[in-house]
Amino acid sequence: MKTIMPIIFLLLTVSAFAINKYSCLFLDIEPSSLNCALGEITGVANIWHNDALLSYSNPALPALSEGVRYGFTDNPWLKGSGFEGIYYKSAFWNVNRDGFAVTLPDFFQARPHGVLINYGPEIVTNEHNENIAVAHPYNKAGVYGVAFELPAILNLIDDNYTFSDKFHLAVGINYFDILSNFDLQYIGNGELHKIKGEAHSWNWGIVTSGKYNLDRFLEFEAACGYADFNFTKEEIKYTLSEQSDIISRHGTIGAALSASIPVSFLKLPPNLKPFLFCDKLLTMTYLVGNMDTFSDDANIKGNGMELGFFDTVFVRNGYYKDEDCPKVGGTHGWGINLHYKNLFSYSYNYSSFPGGNLVNRQTAHDHNFMLNLQEIGKLALGNL
């Protein structure tokens, strides 16, 4: 079985996506379990959480979050499909100060990465079906990015410039440093070769939002975002191959509307304010997304709704529709955000969503941490 590795890669990617005209389809896996529970592709306009993993779906989002953020996920991929021992991992850092943010991969891993799919050990056989080697294939991409919020930057440049804190506009760009490693492959005549491809791609995104307060009783916020992956149409070429293949490319547009009851609704006395750990009592958010794969395939659609209680407990439900895969069905999940206002937080998110041809359902979970050093410093100085 000389082509065991290409067959496995083809099955695992085509089973999860309809975008099979492209290479490096592992880049299209959504790392945020929060987004996966809300229709997967709606994250392009999801501005309401401080999770670092959200920055993957739209490079502009880190500019709207706060502090130092770290998020990671480590999930079995396509469990129950017959291909066991496959794991999808992602890990990013976001750092934001005064509206300028950077995104970095996790350098502390054995294989530093932003996203990584490890296919586990695979036996390589020759034309006589004899075991001749063990391969360790994997795909990974380091994720590097910068983003800035335009009103915040203008405020920083000009002290006389003022802009309402109810309006936000951010742009960002990400760079993917890609390694697609088939490892050992038998090509005949007793020859084993290491097959791999190295490449890079660029992604950009934009997001805007606006708030409206109905006295102290109700707060509305709307957001709209767009992200274009591999807009420079970069390609990857593998060892011993004469052909280059275009890296996965798509553009996603999304919109969202949130309605919340703020803490100010309670009319609490000022001496109790330091004991309030949240800003909102109840939040309801609805999100929609539409992904253009720049191919003959139909656009992928998603939508989701989230209910939040005290900025701490979240229940999520949605729908994902990729007819050409086919990968169609409901998405759902939940999350817990342990925090004190916007100073620090730890969040855990769980999701279940359609798995494609090889499995009926896929599950995922992630962990996120946030520490707002700038606000903690202001608080400490104010108490001196």
Side-chain angles (χ1 to χ4, degrees):
M1 202 170 359
K2 294 185 288 185
T3 57
I4 182 169
M5 293 315 304
I7 286 175
I8 288 176
F9 271 51
L10 182 65
L11 281 172
L12 295 179
T13 53
V14 174
S15 71
F17 309 102
I19 319 170
N20 53 22
K21 63 174 283 188
Y22 297 125
S23 183
C24 299
L25 295 182
F26 76 100
L27 297 173
D28 293 320
I29 298 174
E30 171 57 59
S32 167
S33 299
L34 191 160
N35 283 340
C36 287
L38 294 170
E40 292 197 41
I41 61 172
T42 61
V44 69
N46 191 350
I47 65 171
W48 290 278
H49 295 273
N50 261 323
D51 296 0
L53 295 178
L54 294 177
S55 63
Y56 188 84
S57 58
N58 188 337
L61 288 175
L64 300 185
S65 296
E66 299 175 294
V68 178
R69 282 153 288 133
Y70 174 70
F72 73 93
T73 182
D74 186 352
N75 297 305
W77 189 248
L78 298 179
K79 187 176 182 180
S81 65
F83 298 101
E84 303 301 327
I86 305 168
Y87 279 83
Y88 174 77
K89 304 180 180 183
S90 59
F92 315 139
W93 290 89
N94 292 156
V95 181
N96 183 330
R97 180 178 172 83
D98 296 325
F100 180 80
V102 295
T103 298
L104 296 169
D106 187 351
F107 294 104
F108 299 103
Q109 301 286 334
R111 291 173 177 155
H113 65 274
V115 293
L116 166 72
I117 186 162
N118 191 334
Y119 297 94
E122 300 290 344
I123 297 174
V124 181
T125 61
N126 59 19
E127 62 267 25
H128 305 297
N129 205 31
E130 298 169 332
N131 298 345
I132 58 173
V134 177
H136 297 273
Y138 63 90
N139 287 330
K140 74 169 185 174
V143 180
Y144 305 84
V146 293
F148 65 89
E149 185 194 357
L150 185 58
I153 297 298
L154 292 175
N155 282 331
L156 195 63
I157 294 173
D158 184 357
D159 291 336
N160 297 319
Y161 178 86
T162 58
F163 209 100
S164 171
D165 61 359
K166 296 183 182 300
F167 173 78
H168 300 277
L169 173 64
V171 294
I173 188 167
N174 279 356
Y175 169 81
F176 286 176
D177 182 19
I178 303 164
L179 171 60
S180 182
N181 181 34
F182 286 84
D183 200 20
L184 296 173
Q185 184 181 346
Y186 181 68
I187 63 171
N189 300 321
E191 292 188 48
L192 273 172
H193 281 271
K194 282 186 173 289
I195 308 297
K196 69 177 183 179
E198 296 182 79
H200 64 268
S201 68
W202 295 89
N203 320 304
W204 76 274
I206 185 170
V207 64
T208 184
S209 69
K211 287 182 182 180
Y212 175 76
N213 289 81
L214 187 62
D215 197 18
R216 62 181 179 85
F217 302 105
L218 203 58
E219 180 180 284
F220 295 96
E221 186 168 22
C224 183
Y226 177 78
D228 192 343
F229 273 50
N230 192 21
F231 66 91
T232 54
K233 301 180 182 179
E234 303 293 339
E235 298 181 343
I236 188 169
K237 186 176 181 180
Y238 288 91
T239 311
L240 304 181
S241 174
E242 300 296 326
Q243 174 182 318
S244 295
D245 301 304
I246 189 167
I247 296 166
S248 184
R249 168 160 163 67
H250 58 80
T252 306
I253 188 168
L257 177 65
S258 175
S260 59
I261 301 174
V263 171
S264 59
F265 173 79
L266 297 177
K267 270 192 171 180
L268 295 173
N271 61 318
L272 290 181
K273 288 185 178 180
F275 300 99
L276 294 174
F277 63 89
C278 64
D279 296 318
K280 298 173 183 177
L281 301 175
L282 178 67
T283 306
M284 183 173 67
T285 306
Y286 180 73
L287 309 94
V288 295
N290 189 305
M291 178 185 287
D292 185 352
T293 63
F294 304 116
S295 69
D296 296 330
D297 294 332
N299 285 7
I300 300 171
K301 297 177 172 60
N303 63 76
M305 180 174 284
E306 177 185 76
L307 286 176
F309 305 91
F310 306 106
D311 294 334
T312 302
V313 178
F314 298 90
V315 180
R316 303 169 181 127
N317 198 55
Y319 191 77
Y320 180 89
K321 185 179 182 181
D322 179 356
E323 294 178 327
D324 294 286
C325 188
K327 183 181 172 185
V328 178
T331 63
H332 62 265
W334 54 271
I336 294 178
N337 180 34
L338 304 177
H339 70 291
Y340 179 75
K341 295 187 179 294
N342 66 337
L343 299 182
F344 57 85
S345 69
Y346 160 74
S347 65
Y348 172 86
N349 300 297
Y350 169 85
S351 64
S352 173
F353 48 94
N357 289 327
L358 294 182
V359 292
N360 183 40
R361 303 288 298 179
Q362 175 78 27
T363 61
H365 62 93
D366 63 42
H367 305 264
N368 292 270
F369 304 85
M370 187 276 288
L371 187 63
N372 195 337
L373 296 174
Q374 193 170 0
E375 289 300 316
I376 291 174
K378 290 179 182 178
L379 185 64
L381 290 174
N383 291 330
L384 291 178

